[in-house]
Amino acid sequence: MRFIKMSASAIALVMPTAGLAQTAAPAVLEEIIVTAQRREQTITEVPLAISAFTGDALTEKGVTNSADLAMAVPNLQVNSPYGSTQPNFALRGISVANEYNSNQASPIGVYINDVYLANRTSHGMGLFDLERVEVLRGPQGTLFGRNTTGGAINFITRGPRLNGNEGYAEIGYGNFNTLTAQGAAEATLAEDHVGVRAAVNYKKGDGQIKNVYPGGRDPNSSDTLQGRFSLRVVPGDGDVDINLKAYAGRDRGTQAAVHGLLPYRQGLGFFEVNEDSIGDNKTDAWGTSANIAWNVSDSLSITSITSYDGGKQNLQQASDGSPLVILNINWQSDYKQFNQELRANYGGDGYTLVAGGIYGRDTVETDNLFNIGSMLAPGVDGGFFQHYKQVRKSKALFGQVDYDLSDPLTLTVGARYTWDTSRYEDGTAYLFAGKFRGTPSPLATTVPCAGAAGTCAYNPNARFNLDGDGSALTGRVALSYKFEDGTLLYASYNRGYRSGAFNGGSYTSSKGINYVDPEKVNAYEIGAKGRYLDNRLSLSGALFYYDYRNQQVQDLQPGPTNILVNAPKSRVLGAEAEFNLRVSGTFSVNGSMGLLDTKYKELTLQGADLSGNELPFAPKLTAQLGFDWQVAELAEGAITFSPTASYFSRQWFSPFNDVNPLATQANQELQQGGYTMVNANLAWERDGLRLSVFANNLFNTKAYGYGLDLRGAGFPYPFLVPKSPRTFGASLRYSF
């Protein structure tokens, strides 16, 4: 059995052991090495709240896409109006709230092999051939940097080991006519010196939501292809380690299902829609990186990470959820980014030091088309076209030292100073007449235009530009004490920062295009972790309090006009607990729990005072419980049963909660009540051969993952995005 999940929060549950076969050798937990502090440590040595999983452990829990991570991590929510495309991570209540534009950075920093991914479109990745995933909860403004007010997620892919040849091939089939295939191959070209590894992932399936419209396409289909190549070179005596990686992928599935205009929901089941214009979610992502580590001496190493990434999205969304042409949107963006990081690690007598600098530049160029039925007059369709380019640059210097005050007591002090500059350029938008999929006829320029839509003459050469900049000092102070039994107790203060932002959602008037202040979080945390019962039990837990300032949220006004504003003050109070218990060589149980109490202390939207409301995507309780049980042996192979149940209490999709500033609004609809999702996996394994059957959302739970109210802008409905129904299937894998 293999399951490695350890984190900085946990409680113990003891399962009955009667009837379980015992192995002759002692049953112990495997250790996992993490790089949460930019150096290799066991997870129990790190005074941070962390969840870490191997790729195989995630597969056993039914997590095959980054959008599924909420099934494994406490106080983590993943939501999106586009299904698994452009996922929005919410960690401990910190999220993008009701902001959905592609130019905004996530407050949860997402990394692949320590490379920061600025664009949220690139976050919707399939998980394959992974070494591990590390989820760091709490601000990571010291060693990971900007835009980590809520935490950081680091996906570490498998690379060449420089020892032998290996690989695997897997094929699977499931309901909705879903075919999956993936594989990897690794070759050592020179023992201990040169190796390569290549991996590929493919998935294609029909839509998971039934469309009753005659001849209509089914939403939530899948069509994904991803590839990755790694080259590792360790020349000479091994002091230099060079890792070169390249990846590329594309997705061509249909749009996420939308529950919209209520008259056209009559008679439909939860997993059904009546929509004539189901579009495609087309995304592409690619990137290259060079990680070069030089061990200068036994105490000093220098690491350089250079990366260049890019991609694009073309999302065609029928937002009305009806057979009428009321609101159809085409979201298009191209993005590119470059990052260069240089850092040094030094270990002295009683202390360790990490210090360095980083430069990053990212651009996103956006062309959005909003088709609105009967916008100009009854039966006269029209809409808006929007174009802009955003360029962001960031520089930072950082350092952290861990100093042993005594054998068990360590003081950690870190600081980072970040300089950000941004530019919104070539902004233009216009009002047009024309039908959906027709040729638009421009009527009036809306950007740049300070007045209401339609009041400025059309000028194809008019452009709007705006600059924004800011800087921030972030850091960390922690005390940690390690007891003789290995228990680590820590208390910490962390400050996080998310850079200022332009309002990418304003296209009806340039008065809505603004630059808002950065977000800041002052986080206070105490926690403990350890391994017990002869290394059969891992426990960890944390209590935390956040002073959260200037969350960036959208204020939707009639017109329609989106205005990006800051929520002046919020607070987050919470606790987390996780455990992993190896009962025997054939049975292990794992679980976690997260508690949250969130509140806006100051916030006004649409003229309504929302002080006292809960933050969106912040359920008061999340809990996971699962086990791995080797139930029998068959044909000299082991049969293992691995179910996981995840519970989420009620969460709001909007800062309004149930406040309705307009008579036409019913914001209480924008919520999801408490629900439980169950995934299960049954596998037979022998001599590198593995046959698995699985079911995700086993009991076909009906739940929404996202909601947005457009009635404040004059549209007569909210829209809600349902989560996927039950999926099941089987796969065959051979490892060599």
Side-chain angles (χ1 to χ4, degrees):
M1 280 302 304
R2 180 188 308 157
F3 182 77
I4 308 174
K5 180 193 173 194
M6 295 167 288
S7 66
S9 48
I11 56 175
L13 298 179
V14 179
M15 298 293 289
T17 60
L20 293 177
Q22 302 294 318
T23 59
V28 297
L29 296 171
E30 297 181 61
E31 189 65 88
I32 189 168
I33 304 298
V34 297
T35 54
Q37 296 196 115
R38 300 298 196 180
R39 55 190 173 96
E40 292 187 349
Q41 297 173 281
T42 63
I43 201 167
T44 53
E45 295 177 307
V46 183
L48 292 169
I50 313 170
S51 293
F53 310 88
T54 66
D56 291 341
L58 289 174
T59 299
E60 290 173 1
K61 295 176 78 66
V63 178
T64 59
N65 187 282
S66 60
D68 301 326
L69 278 175
M71 298 288 291
V73 180
N75 283 331
L76 174 67
Q77 301 298 302
V78 186
N79 59 84
S80 172
Y82 318 114
S84 60
T85 301
Q86 193 178 300
N88 300 326
F89 296 102
L91 196 50
R92 291 179 169 179
I94 294 183
S95 70
V96 293
N98 60 350
E99 168 61 87
Y100 49 85
N101 293 285
S102 64
N103 68 308
Q104 303 299 355
S106 170
I108 315 301
V110 176
Y111 297 76
I112 181 167
N113 300 316
D114 287 339
V115 172
Y116 173 65
L117 300 178
N119 193 280
R120 283 183 290 145
T121 298
S122 62
H123 298 174
M125 63 189 79
L127 305 183
F128 69 104
D129 202 38
L130 287 181
E131 179 180 321
R132 68 184 184 277
V133 176
E134 299 177 15
V135 180
L136 285 63
R137 298 188 294 278
Q140 304 298 320
T142 305
L143 296 180
F144 281 84
R146 64 173 181 152
N147 304 328
T148 55
T149 47
I153 303 174
N154 195 8
F155 298 91
I156 296 97
T157 64
R158 288 175 180 161
R161 299 176 304 162
L162 307 183
N163 181 17
N165 305 318
E166 66 165 23
Y168 71 91
E170 179 178 309
I171 190 168
Y173 186 78
N175 61 331
F176 303 111
N177 197 31
T178 302
L179 175 67
T180 60
Q182 65 173 259
E186 179 177 323
T188 299
L189 307 182
E191 192 83 3
D192 298 325
H193 291 290
V194 183
V196 295
R197 186 177 184 94
V200 66
N201 183 47
Y202 174 75
K203 181 179 181 180
K204 186 175 178 63
D206 296 338
Q208 297 178 354
I209 307 295
K210 182 180 179 181
N211 187 2
V212 302
Y213 186 83
R217 307 168 72 199
D218 292 335
N220 290 62
S221 72
S222 56
D223 185 357
T224 300
L225 179 63
Q226 299 167 289
R228 189 185 302 131
F229 178 80
S230 303
L231 168 65
R232 184 181 179 191
V233 179
V234 180
D237 56 7
D239 288 337
V240 177
D241 193 344
I242 303 170
N243 284 273
L244 307 178
K245 295 193 176 186
Y247 70 90
R250 59 106 176 119
D251 195 339
R252 296 295 183 268
T254 52
Q255 73 168 72
V258 171
H259 290 181
L261 204 59
L262 292 180
Y264 294 93
R265 294 293 311 154
Q266 302 302 316
L268 296 184
F270 187 84
F271 297 113
E272 292 181 330
V273 296
N274 183 6
E275 173 60 67
D276 66 332
S277 302
I278 297 296
D280 289 319
N281 282 352
K282 300 178 181 179
T283 61
D284 298 88
W286 53 265
T288 59
S289 66
N291 186 315
I292 303 173
W294 176 28
N295 291 321
V296 181
S297 66
D298 291 341
S299 57
L300 176 64
S301 66
I302 297 175
T303 302
S304 170
I305 303 177
T306 308
S307 63
Y308 185 58
D309 302 80
K312 58 184 177 181
Q313 69 172 20
N314 186 345
L315 312 179
Q316 300 158 348
Q317 185 180 51
S319 300
D320 49 65
S322 78
L324 306 179
V325 179
I326 296 179
L327 180 59
N328 283 269
I329 306 174
N330 187 194
W331 310 94
Q332 296 186 70
S333 293
D334 289 349
Y335 68 90
K336 292 181 177 62
Q337 68 168 53
F338 170 80
N339 286 306
Q340 173 62 58
E341 180 176 355
L342 184 66
R343 69 172 182 264
N345 290 65
Y346 183 80
D349 186 13
Y351 71 94
T352 59
L353 173 68
V354 181
I358 187 170
Y359 170 79
R361 183 182 190 274
D362 64 88
T363 65
V364 58
E365 191 162 0
T366 294
D367 292 280
N368 294 330
L369 190 65
F370 304 85
N371 292 276
I372 305 171
S374 298
M375 175 184 172
L376 302 177
V380 183
D381 297 343
F384 296 91
F385 171 79
Q386 174 193 32
H387 168 87
Y388 65 89
K389 181 179 180 180
Q390 177 181 273
V391 181
R392 295 181 294 204
K393 299 177 183 178
S394 182
K395 298 177 289 185
L397 296 174
F398 62 88
Q400 178 173 297
V401 61
D402 296 300
Y403 181 73
D404 295 334
L405 299 175
S406 64
D407 285 342
L409 184 63
T410 300
L411 172 66
T412 300
V413 178
R416 185 184 193 104
Y417 201 88
T418 303
W419 297 266
D420 284 328
T421 60
S422 302
R423 181 167 175 79
Y424 180 103
E425 60 185 38
D426 295 331
T428 184
Y430 59 79
L431 172 69
F432 67 80
K435 293 186 176 297
F436 176 52
R437 295 196 180 101
T439 301
S441 299
L443 299 177
T445 290
T446 56
V447 174
C449 179
T455 60
C456 296
Y458 176 63
N459 181 358
N461 299 315
R463 295 293 183 270
F464 183 87
N465 300 297
L466 184 64
D467 291 313
D469 59 58
S471 59
L473 175 65
T474 54
R476 169 176 172 80
V477 178
L479 273 175
S480 56
Y481 188 92
K482 193 162 190 177
F483 293 87
E484 291 184 0
D485 66 353
T487 299
L488 182 71
L489 179 67
Y490 68 89
S492 67
Y493 162 78
N494 293 274
R495 188 170 194 183
Y497 159 76
R498 181 187 180 202
S499 62
F502 293 111
N503 181 17
S506 185
Y507 52 87
T508 61
S509 171
S510 52
K511 70 178 182 180
I513 303 175
N514 58 326
Y515 185 79
V516 298
D517 292 335
E519 294 182 0
K520 295 180 181 178
V521 173
N522 292 305
Y524 306 86
E525 181 171 324
I526 58 172
K529 62 176 72 173
R531 293 163 72 91
Y532 312 97
L533 301 180
D534 296 325
N535 210 26
R536 294 155 60 109
L537 172 67
S538 70
L539 298 171
S540 49
L543 299 171
F544 54 88
Y545 175 81
Y546 289 177
D547 176 17
Y548 189 13
R549 303 295 178 103
N550 292 334
Q551 183 187 29
Q552 298 161 9
V553 298
Q554 284 281 1
D555 191 5
L556 188 60
Q557 301 290 340
T561 300
N562 289 308
I563 300 176
L564 195 63
V565 299
N566 292 115
K569 294 181 181 180
S570 310
R571 70 111 171 98
V572 178
L573 179 66
E576 291 162 347
E578 291 182 88
F579 78 96
N580 190 12
L581 173 64
R582 176 72 79 173
V583 179
S584 71
T586 59
F587 188 85
S588 64
V589 59
N590 57 87
S592 66
M593 185 184 340
L595 300 173
L596 282 178
D597 183 12
T598 65
K599 180 185 293 186
Y600 285 109
K601 298 174 73 173
E602 293 182 26
L603 177 61
T604 299
L605 298 178
Q606 294 185 24
D609 183 2
L610 305 184
S611 301
N613 280 11
E614 297 176 20
L615 274 65
F617 307 108
K620 291 183 178 294
L621 172 63
T622 59
Q624 293 93 23
L625 182 65
F627 62 82
D628 299 311
W629 182 18
Q630 185 178 313
V631 296
E633 290 190 2
L634 177 66
E636 300 181 1
I639 299 177
T640 303
F641 182 47
S642 302
T644 299
S646 301
Y647 173 77
F648 307 89
S649 66
R650 186 192 70 180
Q651 58 182 295
W652 298 102
F653 297 146
S654 163
F656 284 97
N657 293 186
D658 58 359
V659 175
N660 302 314
L662 301 178
T664 57
Q665 289 184 235
N667 285 314
Q668 59 269 23
E669 297 174 358
L670 297 178
Q671 64 171 295
Q672 172 57 53
Y675 67 96
T676 300
M677 289 280 191
V678 177
N679 295 346
N681 186 78
L682 184 67
W684 174 84
E685 191 167 7
R686 171 192 169 187
D687 298 331
L689 190 66
R690 179 183 174 94
L691 175 63
S692 301
V693 293
F694 70 90
N696 293 333
N697 191 7
L698 180 63
F699 298 106
N700 214 32
T701 298
K702 301 175 177 63
Y704 291 111
Y706 187 87
L708 182 66
D709 199 330
L710 301 176
R711 285 169 290 197
F715 295 106
Y717 59 91
F719 77 76
L720 295 160
V721 179
K723 288 180 172 289
S724 295
R726 175 173 49 238
T727 58
F728 56 86
S731 65
L732 180 64
R733 176 175 178 142
Y734 178 68
S735 300
F736 55 87

